[in-house]
Amino acid sequence: MASTELAPKFAPFFGMAGISFAMIFGCVGAAYGTAKSGIGISGVGTFRPDLIMKSLIPVVMSGIIAVYSLVIAVLIAGDMGPPPGQNYSLFTGFMHLACGLSVGLTGLAAGYAIGVVGDMVSLKLILQFDEINWVLGCPLIYAPIEDLRRYGTNIDLWRGAGFIWAYRRFDTEY
């Protein structure tokens, strides 16, 4: 792989950093959301053991955060190749870094929000109110959090597909 001004030898470092940031921040957010929601579940289990299964919704939603991060990391890694056959530009490396950062940081924020809300909802709504309020209120509380997470993932998919297509088209036509 010959080093040029637009594709230096260190350009794949930024793509790998994007993969790392996506996985690290996304998994930390998922772990925090799972741990903090688990505290709420254990609090519910001591007073109302019959509601433990309904309290698992935040834990499942936290696990989905890590899956989103894994999907973006695999998509970034799929665009990279071994050095002899791949011409990896600096533009693509910075784009992959931005994709990894945005999906990782939205995963961190969503995991934190799911953990805090999962702890409070489990303890406050289930123990203080009846079961109907929990079933109706839980999707309304978690919907904006998942919208934040989906926004970060959709921006990454748009960046990865649209920018690379436009860059490759411009590069081949001119």
Side-chain angles (χ1 to χ4, degrees):
M1 181 170 101
S3 180
T4 65
E5 187 176 328
L6 296 177
K9 288 185 179 182
F10 61 87
F13 168 77
F14 295 108
M16 289 296 187
I19 292 171
S20 300
F21 286 139
M23 288 304 299
I24 290 169
F25 288 136
C27 290
V28 166
Y32 182 82
T34 302
K36 190 77 169 158
S37 298
I39 294 170
I41 292 171
S42 64
V44 168
T46 57
F47 296 108
R48 303 263 320 258
D50 55 321
L51 296 178
I52 289 177
M53 293 307 287
K54 288 190 179 186
S55 301
L56 290 177
I57 294 171
V59 173
V60 172
M61 291 182 72
S62 294
I64 292 171
I65 291 173
V67 173
Y68 283 147
S69 298
L70 178 65
V71 165
I72 294 299
V74 166
L75 288 175
I76 292 172
D79 200 27
M80 302 176 80
Q86 179 78 11
N87 188 12
Y88 195 79
S89 69
L90 199 56
F91 172 79
T92 308
F94 281 126
M95 185 188 58
H96 286 160
L97 176 64
C99 289
L101 277 173
S102 65
V103 77
L105 292 177
T106 55
L108 184 65
Y112 180 78
I114 287 173
V116 170
V117 170
D119 186 23
M120 285 298 139
V121 166
S122 296
L123 290 176
K124 303 294 181 192
L125 281 182
I126 291 179
L127 295 179
Q128 292 181 358
F129 300 107
D130 60 347
E131 193 173 327
I132 300 299
N133 288 336
W134 165 254
V135 173
L136 294 177
C138 189
L140 296 175
I141 292 171
Y142 288 119
I145 297 171
E146 275 302 308
D147 287 341
L148 167 73
R149 183 72 190 119
R150 276 186 232 114
Y151 174 75
T153 305
N154 289 339
I155 289 297
D156 290 339
L157 292 175
W158 175 76
R159 268 192 205 136
F163 284 169
I164 289 177
W165 175 81
Y167 176 72
R168 287 183 181 156
R169 182 172 176 202
F170 179 77
D171 193 32
T172 57
E173 286 183 3
Y174 299 104

